[in-house]
Amino acid sequence: MSDWPILSTVLFLPLVGVVLILFTRDDNEAGLRNIRNVALLTTVFTFLVSLLIWVKFDPTNPGFQMLEDHPWLGTGIGYHLGVDGISMMFILLTTVLMPLCILASWEAITYRVKAYMIAFLILETLIIGVFVSLDIVMFYVFFEAGLVPMYLIIGIWGHERRVYASLKFFLYTFAGSIFMLLSIMAMYWVTGTTSVPVLLNYTFPEHLQYWLFLGFFASFAVKMPMWPVHTWLPDAHVEAPTAASGVLAGVLLKLGGFGVLRYSMPMFPDASYYFAPLIFTLSIIAIVYASFVALMQTDMKKLIAYSSIAHMGFVTMGMFSATVEGIEGSIFLMLSHGIVSGALFFCVGIIYDRMHTRDIAAFGGLVNNMPRFAVAFLIFAMANVGLPGTSGFIGEFLTIIGVYQVSTWTAVFAATGVILSAMYTLWLYRRVVFGALEKDSLKALLDLTTREKFVLYPLIGLTIFFGIYPQPIFGVIHGSVEQIVQHYAAVLQSTQNIVLPVN
């Protein structure tokens, strides 16, 4: 038990900012500036506390650390927090992106600023809560409550069809989660506990695992999102304000992948093995189908949204390979995608704020008067392609290596997605950035402002640094991933006499 409840601190620190903002006036420009400053400083302090957690974290210990455990709802349901290597990295991803989202909203959000900043800070607490929860009821509460602020952000501060997009987002994700709630209730009735560490060591009967797995996977598949339950994502991205698209692609899509690694695979290994061929098939369809649809898009945000669906196909494929390489590649790809796709949406937001359109045909030749923007956009485009030297390469490479060990054809079809991603990304970049600056509306555009540099430059640094030197991430996640793979292989060997290659 840690003396200082550092996980509770990072979890509830954004709510301190909410309280401060509630007592700040918003009826004049000075008040609005104070609200933005409080929101920014709160997210920066939260990031600094998450860095302390990283420093305090012991990478040689694959179990949960910095535990906090208190009674909460009675009947064994507790306020139970802890982190392992996997959740550690997702907490950092969240706290890195949030200050950048606040900066990206600085001038783009001009009405109901107080409510907007409060919604973002509450969203940060709820996302962190998903990653630190070690009680399955707490996890469900944070997982579901996160829908509300994102629903409001899209529905109030979004674009023309924001109400339709926010309702679709809410209904899809909420419908999927109902099945997860039924599974959680069944698990409690069978085991009498909601403690995640206890459930991870409980062996559910094989026939029950199938139903529990499907209940959880219905929610996680929508959240990721997998084909064919992906249709809410392009609408949500297109209608959401820039920062909401950044946090949606950067973190919220990762909640499903995190859920698979925390619950589905370690608690239902027999069912995970049984359904793996189906998930490989869905993943390949997602990669190929979403890539071709991305090639047809004329809206920049929609193209990046379909690109995200394709990348999540690599993630699910790597996870269900149940190899160390595949799972580590999936986690690395989720972290990289969080940085790169978030940055791509920020890039789109920068030129949208100037032109008020996302139509690819409306641009061209931006390299002539926006060279710094062109370079930043190029780095993120290359990372999205998976170019060696960027963070995007490592995750895709490892997922393909991992799945090749268990399904050669899945790896072959997935490799076509790498080629397709290069096609739609380079097509987008060429149409927007290269060529002659012929359109009069583009000639007056100015390059990156200081605020926009503060948003993009840290992400450029992370994209290149982890592309060249990924060890800081692997050093943290390796122990936890190895534990998942060994547990998975041991259960299958004992229940089905199947021996898997364990590295």
Side-chain angles (χ1 to χ4, degrees):
M1 182 77 69
S2 86
D3 297 324
W4 175 32
I6 192 168
L7 294 183
S8 290
T9 304
V10 78
L11 175 61
F12 294 115
L13 191 53
L15 297 186
V16 175
V18 169
V19 173
L20 293 175
I21 289 175
L22 282 173
F23 287 100
T24 304
R25 295 181 59 175
D26 63 343
D27 54 357
N28 55 54
E29 192 55 41
L32 295 177
R33 187 169 59 250
N34 290 336
I35 288 171
R36 293 185 178 101
N37 286 331
V38 169
L40 179 62
L41 288 174
T42 302
T43 52
V44 169
F45 279 125
T46 306
F47 170 62
L48 294 176
V49 174
S50 70
L51 285 182
L52 286 179
I53 296 173
W54 192 13
V55 171
K56 196 178 169 68
F57 185 79
D58 178 8
T60 62
N61 177 4
F64 296 111
Q65 302 178 35
M66 292 167 251
L67 298 173
E68 298 175 33
D69 194 3
H70 307 283
W72 178 36
L73 292 181
T75 63
I77 302 173
Y79 174 82
H80 194 183
L81 307 183
V83 288
D84 64 354
I86 299 171
S87 53
M88 180 71 256
M89 296 314 301
F90 284 111
I91 292 169
L92 283 171
L93 176 66
T94 306
T95 57
V96 164
L97 286 178
M98 281 299 175
L100 305 180
C101 288
I102 298 297
L103 278 175
S105 308
W106 208 263
E107 294 176 357
I109 301 300
T110 56
Y111 62 98
R112 297 185 180 179
V113 175
K114 175 185 275 190
Y116 179 87
M117 294 302 173
I118 287 173
F120 248 94
L121 292 177
I122 291 175
L123 180 63
E124 183 174 21
T125 281
L126 297 175
I127 293 173
I128 293 173
V130 170
F131 296 133
V132 299
S133 295
L134 288 185
D135 185 282
I136 202 164
V137 174
M138 272 190 69
F139 167 81
Y140 181 79
V141 169
F142 283 119
F143 193 84
E144 285 307 292
L147 290 176
V148 178
M150 183 52 77
Y151 167 76
L152 295 175
I153 289 170
I154 297 174
I156 296 175
W157 293 277
H159 301 293
E160 290 79 11
R161 298 174 68 240
R162 57 186 180 275
V163 174
Y164 165 77
S166 60
L167 278 174
K168 192 173 181 181
F169 160 75
F170 189 90
L171 290 176
Y172 264 68
T173 49
F174 185 68
S177 297
I178 288 174
F179 296 102
M180 182 168 70
L181 178 61
L182 294 174
S183 291
I184 290 173
M185 293 168 68
M187 291 167 72
Y188 180 71
W189 289 330
V190 171
T191 65
T193 181
T194 56
S195 168
V196 171
V198 175
L199 291 170
L200 286 172
N201 291 309
Y202 188 88
T203 303
F204 290 96
E206 189 175 338
H207 69 281
L208 182 59
Q209 283 191 35
Y210 296 147
W211 294 107
L212 296 176
F213 176 92
L214 290 174
F216 274 83
F217 197 71
S219 178
F220 297 151
V222 171
K223 206 77 161 188
M224 293 196 70
M226 288 191 73
W227 184 90
V229 289
H230 66 283
T231 59
W232 63 270
L233 184 69
D235 291 318
H237 271 310
V238 167
E239 301 304 327
T242 298
S245 289
V247 77
L248 182 61
V251 186
L252 281 184
L253 299 189
K254 314 305 180 294
L255 299 185
F258 174 77
V260 169
L261 293 175
R262 173 68 81 237
Y263 299 97
S264 300
M265 291 195 67
M267 292 184 187
F268 322 123
D270 293 302
S272 298
Y273 180 79
Y274 178 80
F275 287 110
L278 172 65
I279 292 165
F280 285 159
T281 305
L282 296 178
S283 301
I284 293 302
I285 293 173
I287 292 170
V288 177
Y289 167 78
S291 297
F292 276 113
V293 176
L295 275 169
M296 307 294 291
Q297 298 306 311
T298 58
D299 184 303
M300 284 185 275
K301 266 192 165 184
K302 202 168 254 190
L303 187 151
I304 300 170
Y306 277 105
S307 167
S308 295
I309 296 167
H311 280 101
M312 289 303 103
F314 281 95
V315 169
T316 48
M317 178 189 75
M319 285 191 296
F320 282 88
S321 71
T323 60
V324 171
E325 291 88 349
I327 295 177
E328 288 189 346
S330 296
I331 297 170
F332 200 97
L333 184 56
M334 284 194 280
L335 297 171
S336 170
H337 180 266
I339 295 168
V340 173
S341 67
L344 285 172
F345 281 115
F346 290 148
C347 287
V348 173
I350 286 169
I351 52 178
Y352 177 83
D353 289 343
R354 289 160 169 74
M355 292 287 292
H356 302 290
T357 180
R358 299 182 303 270
D359 186 4
I360 297 170
F363 294 92
L366 291 184
V367 69
N368 294 287
N369 57 346
M370 299 180 70
R372 292 184 179 84
F373 170 81
V375 171
F377 195 14
L378 177 67
I379 292 170
F380 298 129
M382 292 302 100
N384 197 51
V385 168
L387 187 76
T390 66
S391 59
F393 168 74
I394 295 166
E396 286 189 355
F397 178 74
L398 284 178
T399 54
I400 293 174
I401 290 290
V403 80
Y404 182 80
Q405 298 177 41
V406 296
S407 174
T408 305
W409 282 110
T410 303
V412 170
F413 283 119
T416 63
V418 178
I419 300 168
L420 291 169
S421 71
M423 290 171 62
Y424 61 70
T425 304
L426 294 177
W427 178 82
L428 169 68
Y429 189 79
R430 183 183 67 79
R431 295 284 299 276
V432 173
V433 174
F434 287 149
L437 189 63
E438 296 174 341
K439 297 182 177 68
D440 292 336
S441 57
L442 300 176
K443 291 179 181 176
L445 297 188
L446 298 176
D447 208 348
L448 298 177
T449 65
T450 302
R451 178 182 58 80
E452 290 164 345
K453 290 175 186 173
F454 273 112
V455 174
L456 295 184
Y457 286 3
L459 298 177
I460 291 175
L462 292 173
T463 301
I464 296 176
F465 177 76
F466 288 122
I468 297 171
Y469 186 59
Q471 190 53 37
I473 292 179
F474 289 134
V476 173
I477 67 174
H478 182 73
S480 301
V481 170
E482 202 170 42
Q483 191 176 50
I484 291 174
V485 173
Q486 288 176 350
H487 173 75
Y488 182 85
V491 171
L492 289 184
Q493 189 171 5
S494 64
T495 58
Q496 304 191 30
N497 199 27
I498 296 172
V499 179
L500 296 177
V502 178
N503 307 81

